[in-house]
Structures are given as structure tokens and as C-alpha cells.
Amino acid sequence: MTVGRFNIELLEAFVAVAEMGNVTLAGARLNRTQPCVSTQLRRLEDRVGKPLIERAARSMELTAAGRILYQHATDILKSHEEARLRLSAPELTGTVHVGLPEWSTTGQLQSIFCNFVRIHPNVKLEMTVADSATLHDKLSRNELNLAIALVCPAKPEPAGVVEEQLHWAAGDAFAPSDPVPLILFPEPCPFRDISFRALAGAGRQWYERITTTSVAAAQVAVNSGAGVCCLPSGAIVDGFRILKEQDGFPALPATKLAVYTPAKAQSPIVDYLEAHLSELLQNAIPSRSALTGKSQPELRVV
């Protein structure tokens, strides 16, 4: 049997369901209705000639064919988007200074900027990795052209704010205890206060076991079983256990990320980046399925 040619919109629907965890969230990501996404999934299955998803009463899993297609579809969509951007983007030349929070530098968020300079070979990228307080400070001194940072309560909230869930992260070797040994970042990290308030509200005691300025060092400490750390989704790596309410750890809120630029006039490079970054940021934040530690996304029906 020969498989029919693939349609980009059908592949987008399939990948969105796989990565977002259910049809409803996939529709919201793609700005399509749930029936539209479901119809596109069926059309793709008809075109492939094989079921891609096994549907049960309350769950759905990728079939063997679905796993194969998922691997190829992500590459196809990435190439398609890069070609579209290269053909539609203006000619840009110059240097852009950008800032990123440390936990995002090994994931999709950094890849946005790497793809940007591939599409624009005459642009030089200078990247600063730091905590959000430092990034906001550098923006105020015009040392950065643009930064993705945690929303600053002292500043007006910009448009295009994206939420990223926080989690209690522990290693496989961690043994629950009271008081809870915490791995923390120094002030003025907002994750400290969030951790303290959440544990206090649950009646849990804690102590500060390790304090570090480095997300990488905190990840090593978590993996070693030294303690528990409050981390955003982008900092969760393979081997981490996510502690939940059934483990005695209260639910945590989501953090808010946004794109910031200085008040002074910007270059065409920064204007273009700012105009396109909010949508890209939304898709770069890890979804729930990214935290399962599985090579195949776990799909749930809502």
C-alpha cells in the first residue's frame, strides 16, 4: 500500500495532540476547534491507511504507526516553518543582544534564537544567560535589546504573557523526610517565596540544604537525591520525579514569562523578533507530555 501525500495542516493537528496531551488543548494551541482537530486526525489516518491513535474510554495512545509518523512529522513541520520564515522574513543585518533565563538554555526556547540566526545569516547573536532580576536590570541599563524573563511585579505586565508550570522535583534516590530538605536559588529568586508559602500552607516544615546560583548545579543536586527543588517545566530533565499532593507536596502555581525590550527605540532586528517571539514562546514552553520521561507522548482525552 502506498501512503498518500501529507498535508501540513493534518500533520500540525497530529503533532499538537501528541505534544499537548489531548484534543482540546491541541485545538487551543492551533486556534482550531476540537471537532476540527478530531476531523483532521481522522483524515490523516485515512490518508496513511492505518490507525495512528488507539482510542479507549478515557485515554488514547499512539500506535506503532503513530510513533513512526510522530518522529518524522516533527522534522517535517520544523523544516516547513523554517522555509516559510526564510521566504517571508525581511533582510536583516546587525547585532542583537538577547537575554534568557538559565533553565531554558538547553531547550526549545534557545533553539528559537539559533533558528533565527540560521534564517538570517547576516545577524550576529549575543546571548546573556542570567536570572530574571539580572535580565530586567540589564534591560533598564540598555545592555540588552530583548529578553525573555519572568514577569516583574514592579513593571506593567506586557502583552503575550505565557505561563509555565512549577513542579516539586526530586531524584529517584530521594527519601521523603520531615523537615523537607530544599535546594534553593538565592534572593531575589521568586521560586524561594513560592516554595516557602506552599509548604507553610500545607503545614510542612523545611530547611535550606543547598543554595546555588546555577540551575545546572541544582539539577545535579536533585538527581543525587540531596533534596527537593521548585523548578519550572523547562528545567525538568530525564530522571526527575515530580512530587505531587499524594506525595505530601502541595500544588504549585505557574510562573509568568514575557518578552521585554528597553524603552528606547529598537533596530529592525529587534522589532522583527519582538513581533514574532510571543507566539513562538507559547509553543516553546514544555507541555505536560514533556514531563512523562517517555519517548512517546502520553495522550489523554478531555
Side-chain angles (χ1 to χ4, degrees), residues 59 137 179 211 228 231:
S59 67
D137 185 51
T211 303
V228 178
L231 290 171

Side-chain angles (χ1 to χ4, degrees), residues 115-135:
N115 290 337
F116 176 75
V117 294
R118 282 215 330 270
I119 294 168
H120 302 278
N122 295 322
V123 172
K124 177 187 176 185
L125 176 69
E126 294 189 359
M127 188 178 295
T128 296
V129 177
D131 60 86
S132 290
T134 299
L135 295 178

Side-chain angles (χ1 to χ4, degrees), residues 216-236:
Q219 290 169 328
V220 170
V222 169
N223 257 331
S224 74
V228 178
C229 189
C230 171
L231 290 171
S233 296
I236 303 299

Side-chain angles (χ1 to χ4, degrees), residues 96-100 126-129 134-148 260-262 264 266 270:
V96 60
H97 305 263
V98 303
L100 285 176
E126 294 189 359
M127 188 178 295
T128 296
V129 177
T134 299
L135 295 178
H136 281 293
D137 185 51
K138 287 182 174 292
L139 283 165
S140 66
R141 298 199 304 265
N142 292 318
E143 294 176 5
L144 294 175
N145 300 120
L146 178 146
I148 296 174
Y260 287 91
T261 58
K264 74 173 189 177
Q266 297 295 303
V270 180

Side-chain angles (χ1 to χ4, degrees), residues 12-123:
E12 285 176 339
F14 172 67
V15 169
V17 171
E19 294 183 346
M20 299 305 293
N22 61 64
V23 176
T24 302
L25 291 177
R29 169 171 158 175
L30 298 171
N31 197 25
R32 302 173 192 171
T33 65
Q34 180 177 339
C36 175
V37 174
S38 297
T39 299
Q40 289 174 326
L41 282 176
R42 288 194 296 269
R43 287 176 57 197
L44 183 60
E45 288 183 320
D46 290 342
R47 186 159 298 185
V48 172
K50 298 177 182 178
L52 300 173
I53 295 173
E54 293 179 347
R55 298 167 176 83
R58 295 182 57 84
S59 67
M60 49 198 306
E61 295 183 356
L62 293 180
T63 64
R67 290 193 294 272
I68 293 171
L69 181 59
Y70 177 78
Q71 294 173 350
H72 290 286
T74 52
D75 291 336
I76 292 169
L77 292 178
K78 182 179 178 181
S79 296
H80 171 267
E81 182 65 9
E82 183 171 326
R84 190 184 67 81
L85 289 175
R86 293 194 72 167
L87 290 170
S88 61
E91 289 292 331
L92 298 175
T93 302
T95 300
V96 60
H97 305 263
V98 303
L100 285 176
E102 185 183 357
W103 71 83
S104 68
T105 55
T106 58
Q108 289 184 317
L109 205 52
Q110 182 178 357
S111 72
I112 289 174
F113 292 100
C114 294
N115 290 337
F116 176 75
V117 294
R118 282 215 330 270
I119 294 168
H120 302 278
N122 295 322
V123 172

